[in-house]
Amino acid sequence: MLRSIGRQWRCSAAFQCATFQTAPSGGGRASSAGVPALEQQKQHQKQQPEQQQQEQEQLHQIDEEVARLLALKAKLGGDAPPTNQKFTLKTPKGTRDYGPQQMMLRQGVLDKIVQVFKRHGGEAIDTPVFELKEVLTGKYGEDSKLIYDLKDQGGEILSMRYDLTVPLARYLAMNKISSIKRYHIAKVYRRDNPAMTKGRYREFYQCDFDIAGTYDPMLADAECVKIVVEILDTLDIGDFVIKLNHRQLLDGMFQACGVPADSFRTICSAVDKLDKSPWADVRKEMVEEKGLDEAAADRIGEYVRLSGGSELVEQLLSDAQLKAVPNAVKGLEGMQLLLKYCSLFGLDKRVRFDLSLARGLDYYTGVIYEGVLQGESAAVGSPVKTSQQNGEQASEQATVGSVAGGGRYDNLVGMFDPRGKAVPCVGVSIGVERIFSVLEARAAASGLKLRTSDVEAYVASAHKGLHEQRLKVLNQLWDAGIKAEHSYKLNPKLLVQLQHCEEHQIPLVVVLGDAELAQGLVKLREVTTRQETNVKLEELPAEIRRRLQTA
């Protein structure tokens, strides 16, 4: 198209130049003025080279402009890809495909999680996968750099949602909701460095349960901890512990250790890395990167090594440094009450008060917690790295780390309300991708093959010419609510049909034959035992249901 425009420009320019050359030079009037014709011709010949040069310059400019536009078009991708272009067939970094086997496993996990959410009175909501950028900005501390920004869309600056918590807060403020118990299962997006073996992706599911409303201390918080334990027990992914801490206690601890108030969040972000890095590395970050005094860092190190139960709370309540800080005392009193309620829920062996737990997100204001797999339960697959330690080889397994996390965020909704009206909230998020990684590795190791469809009966024909009868029987089963299928070939071989049922673990086969149909009968075959019985056509749906119930 651009070349066509260039040719039109060139023709137009050439036409204008030719018109200029052949235009009358006022010869009639010159002759009448007495100018000799020979002199006029010489003057015209003298002007001709200058006109040709102007024409060439104009055409050259047109060629340059067309070339520039063609280059721009090529840079932007052109109108259509070349027919011989080769594509690299891969998923984007930090994402993956899920085949039927994985999807059946995932759906089973999600169904169990939803059952627990509903058991505790949860209501489902959904929000857009992208939000206005200003909604997400400033809510995640140092992790804000992991937000995916979108290009300008019709005057709106948008970003992909980083989690489901901030969209919930926006939803509550926008709709003037002050009380809700909601769950939300959806994908979120983070521009993180993915680690596929650890279940860390750039696109992944979150399963959130949150309680919004003004209630008495720690009642809703303890129920959220109970929900985490119920889900992890239901999924049977192995031994785990729920780490507990309090944001007010952390802030009080930082204050008692001499951390400047404007550095609380950055130091908290460093402490949050203790589950992945040794104390020496975290201390180095605090001192060298974040400018914390070495003595203050060492005092923090003494506290974050502590973990236990109610006895640790009593010990810290008598700590001279912490007793002098009101925030620390409030946090410890909150932990004391939470541990009491957790004990009433029978969670003593599942929870642990751990001062190294920080959770770096800025919006937490109270209790924080995290579910972590322990021991062999955390290992995914086979060893992936071998290192030399003290002269001996040590196998380092890929671990999934945290599989659940959450806490209290009382001020987040107020950030979106025009009048700053706060709606206290507490919630939990289940890290299902990491749970999927554990369960997929376990299924692969056992060699267990999952069913990828729910088909209950397969309608087969014993010989040729029965495809119309198959359709009639299929329709009868579908109308009765039975999950059924058949071959899409007119005359499939019976052996091939039976092998399909065994391969896909379909429990029952309805075999049609001319002799049986003439008597109003069909053969009903159990795939596992290969036993066959004659069943009347009108009784077939009821008989299939009976067999499925007793299986």
Side-chain angles (χ1 to χ4, degrees):
M1 178 180 176
L2 288 172
R3 288 191 177 90
S4 174
I5 293 172
R7 286 194 296 270
Q8 293 175 17
W9 284 354
R10 288 171 62 95
C11 291
S12 176
F15 175 77
Q16 291 175 8
C17 292
T19 303
F20 178 75
Q21 290 173 14
T22 58
S25 58
R29 288 177 292 189
S31 298
S32 63
V35 179
L38 183 59
E39 184 179 345
Q40 182 182 0
Q41 186 176 0
K42 287 180 179 180
Q43 186 179 0
H44 178 70
Q45 289 175 351
K46 184 179 179 180
Q47 292 176 345
Q48 195 168 17
E50 295 177 1
Q51 296 165 359
Q52 290 176 348
Q53 184 178 356
Q54 290 175 358
E55 176 188 356
Q56 292 300 323
E57 289 178 355
Q58 191 173 7
L59 293 176
H60 181 67
Q61 289 176 356
I62 293 171
D63 288 340
E64 285 184 343
E65 184 66 18
V66 170
R68 187 186 69 80
L69 292 173
L70 287 170
L72 179 61
K73 176 183 176 182
K75 185 178 180 181
L76 295 176
D79 296 330
T83 55
N84 60 348
Q85 181 177 348
K86 293 183 179 179
F87 293 96
T88 301
L89 296 178
K90 61 183 287 292
T91 59
K93 185 178 180 182
T95 65
R96 59 170 289 192
D97 292 324
Y98 296 90
Q101 289 276 324
Q102 288 90 5
M103 285 305 298
M104 285 298 294
L105 179 63
R106 290 166 69 88
Q107 194 57 52
V109 169
L110 295 177
D111 289 345
K112 291 176 181 178
I113 291 173
V114 170
Q115 285 177 0
V116 175
F117 288 165
K118 288 185 175 182
R119 186 185 308 151
H120 288 264
E123 302 173 286
I125 71 164
D126 195 14
T127 61
V129 73
F130 45 79
E131 296 273 354
L132 295 175
K133 184 176 180 179
E134 61 190 30
V135 168
L136 305 181
T137 303
K139 312 300 188 304
Y140 304 106
E142 293 185 358
D143 285 350
S144 291
K145 62 182 181 293
L146 304 181
I147 295 174
Y148 272 108
D149 292 332
L150 302 178
K151 289 185 177 180
D152 180 16
Q153 301 292 325
E156 292 185 330
I157 306 301
L158 307 175
S159 297
M160 304 291 283
R161 61 186 174 203
Y162 177 90
D163 66 4
L164 301 178
T165 305
V166 172
L168 169 64
R170 190 265 309 153
Y171 170 83
L172 296 178
M174 191 176 79
N175 294 283
K176 308 298 181 185
I177 297 172
S178 58
S179 176
I180 191 174
K181 192 185 291 186
R182 85 87 168 88
Y183 71 88
H184 188 185
I185 297 177
K187 286 185 176 181
V188 298
Y189 299 85
R190 298 184 183 178
R191 198 160 47 88
D192 201 354
N193 289 323
M196 311 295 267
T197 58
K198 299 181 181 181
R200 189 183 305 141
Y201 301 94
R202 289 182 168 180
E203 177 194 59
F204 57 96
Y205 272 100
Q206 278 192 340
C207 300
D208 282 19
F209 184 96
D210 293 80
I211 301 172
T214 303
Y215 304 110
D216 289 323
M218 295 299 166
L219 291 173
D221 309 64
E223 183 169 355
C224 285
V225 177
K226 173 67 172 175
I227 287 170
V228 177
V229 173
E230 286 185 12
I231 288 172
L232 297 183
D233 277 339
T234 301
L235 296 176
D236 190 25
I237 59 174
D239 194 21
F240 63 90
V241 64
I242 310 298
K243 296 181 180 180
L244 307 174
N245 204 354
H246 201 291
R247 209 56 180 277
Q248 281 185 301
L249 172 58
L250 277 172
D251 289 349
M253 180 184 73
F254 293 149
Q255 183 179 342
C257 293
V259 178
D262 59 358
S263 298
F264 282 3
R265 293 286 75 86
T266 57
I267 298 304
C268 185
S269 177
V271 172
D272 189 43
K273 298 174 183 176
L274 280 171
D275 62 334
K276 307 179 188 72
S277 306
W279 165 247
D281 291 348
V282 173
R283 182 187 184 279
K284 182 178 180 181
E285 179 183 336
M286 288 180 178
V287 174
E288 296 184 7
E289 296 181 23
K290 301 185 175 178
L292 185 64
D293 179 71
E294 290 189 9
D298 291 335
R299 285 193 290 271
I300 291 173
E302 293 174 6
Y303 285 114
V304 297
R305 289 182 173 91
L306 300 176
S307 66
S310 299
E311 74 287 348
L312 178 58
V313 178
E314 298 295 337
Q315 175 188 331
L316 294 174
L317 278 170
S318 62
D319 184 283
Q321 285 183 303
L322 295 179
K323 279 199 303 184
V325 182
N327 259 343
V329 175
K330 288 180 182 178
L332 286 168
E333 290 173 347
M335 286 303 307
Q336 197 171 40
L337 184 58
L338 176 63
L339 289 171
K340 178 182 178 180
Y341 290 158
C342 286
S343 179
L344 293 174
F345 282 146
L347 306 179
D348 295 291
K349 295 181 180 179
R350 291 298 197 187
V351 299
R352 185 172 72 218
F353 176 30
D354 191 327
L355 269 75
S356 70
L357 178 63
R359 297 196 64 80
L361 300 180
D362 279 1
Y363 52 66
Y364 287 123
T365 58
V367 168
I368 51 176
Y369 37 81
E370 192 165 87
V372 181
L373 294 186
Q374 291 194 307
E376 295 180 0
S377 302
V380 180
S382 56
V384 297
K385 185 180 178 181
T386 302
S387 58
Q388 195 78 16
Q389 294 181 350
N390 301 324
E392 298 180 358
Q393 281 198 340
S395 294
E396 181 181 324
Q397 287 189 314
T399 58
V400 298
S402 169
V403 292
R408 175 161 289 279
Y409 51 101
D410 287 347
N411 301 327
L412 188 57
V413 177
M415 294 182 183
F416 299 113
D417 188 86
R419 298 181 180 178
K421 181 183 177 182
V423 177
C425 299
V426 63
V428 62
S429 181
I430 307 298
V432 286
E433 299 293 349
R434 297 181 176 185
I435 292 173
F436 293 149
S437 296
V438 173
L439 297 180
E440 283 180 15
R442 185 184 297 175
S446 68
L448 180 66
K449 183 178 180 182
L450 298 175
R451 282 197 67 188
T452 56
S453 77
D454 294 333
V455 174
E456 298 166 328
Y458 187 95
V459 181
S461 49
H463 48 77
K464 294 181 179 181
L466 294 176
H467 61 278
E468 292 185 1
Q469 284 77 5
R470 287 206 317 262
L471 295 178
K472 291 179 181 178
V473 173
L474 266 175
N475 194 54
Q476 179 188 7
L477 297 182
W478 288 338
D479 287 346
I482 292 172
K483 303 179 185 74
E485 67 175 11
H486 75 131
S487 172
Y488 295 120
K489 291 189 174 182
L490 292 177
N491 300 304
K493 294 182 179 179
L494 180 59
L495 179 60
V496 173
Q497 297 172 86
L498 297 178
Q499 287 175 340
H500 172 86
C501 295
E502 291 184 357
E503 181 180 347
H504 292 85
Q505 303 176 44
I506 300 172
L508 299 171
V509 187
V510 180
V511 183
L512 308 184
D514 281 337
E516 290 82 8
L517 287 171
Q519 303 174 53
L521 302 173
V522 295
K523 287 185 185 295
L524 187 58
R525 176 187 175 102
E526 293 184 2
V527 173
T528 53
T529 64
R530 300 187 178 182
Q531 292 182 347
E532 295 181 350
T533 54
N534 288 332
V535 178
K536 293 181 179 180
L537 261 175
E538 62 270 16
E539 298 174 0
L540 181 60
E543 179 63 19
I544 289 176
R545 284 199 203 91
R546 188 187 68 79
R547 299 277 185 103
L548 293 172
Q549 288 173 356
T550 57

